[in-house]
Each structure stands twice: as C-alpha cells, then as structure tokens.
C-alpha cells in the first residue's frame, strides 16, 4: 500500500471514532449542528445516536479492512 492509502484509511478510522464517540457520549454540540439536524428531526435524538453509532462502527470496520485486509 502507498502512503495515500494509509492516509485514506486513517481518515476512515478517525471519522468512525469521532462519530462513535459523539454517539456514546451524547455530545450536545454534535447533535445540534446544522448538518445533523435532519437526522435528529427524522429519527429523534435516540435514533440519531444509534444511527451515528452504527455509522462510526461501519467506518471503523472499513478502515480496518482497508489496513489489514488489503493487499
């Protein structure tokens, strides 16, 4: 793998960890941003936390597969 690949997988891991932490720690500022308002309005606060938690797990999984499962 090249340096760009490691960088990309690192971004996946960082974004996944960030989303998972926001979900688990119920960060007020995260769920009141304009970008997440739609999800919160649609799913409710608890649903949005579950959504972002699952998104975080998916991004972390993609990053780990890219790092350790790639050629």
């Amino acid at each position: 793998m090249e340096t760009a690949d490691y960088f990309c997988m690192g971004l996946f891991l960082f974004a996944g960890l960030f989303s998972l932490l926001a979900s688990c720690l119920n960060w007020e500022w995260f769920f009141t941003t304009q970008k997440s308002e739609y999800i919160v309005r649609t799913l409710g606060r608890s649903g949005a936390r579950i959504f972002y938690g699952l998104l975080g797990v998916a991004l972390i999984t993609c990053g780990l597969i890219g790092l350790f499962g790639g050629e």
Side-chain angles (χ1 to χ4, degrees), residues 4-71:
D5 296 328
Y6 286 112
F7 180 76
C8 186
M9 293 306 116
L11 285 178
F12 270 83
L13 291 171
F14 176 77
L17 182 62
F18 186 79
S19 180
L20 188 60
L21 282 174
S23 171
C24 291
L25 299 176
N26 197 18
W27 288 340
E28 182 69 26
W29 62 270
F30 182 86
F31 290 102
T32 56
T33 60
Q34 187 176 3
K35 300 271 184 185
S36 66
E37 264 183 8
Y38 175 76
I39 300 294
V40 173
R41 272 188 283 126
T42 304
L43 302 175
R45 182 68 172 248
S46 296
R49 289 182 67 194
I50 292 169
F51 172 80
Y52 282 110
L54 292 174
L55 178 66
V57 169
L59 288 171
I60 290 169
T61 301
C62 288
L64 291 174
I65 288 172
L67 281 175
F68 300 113
E71 296 177 11

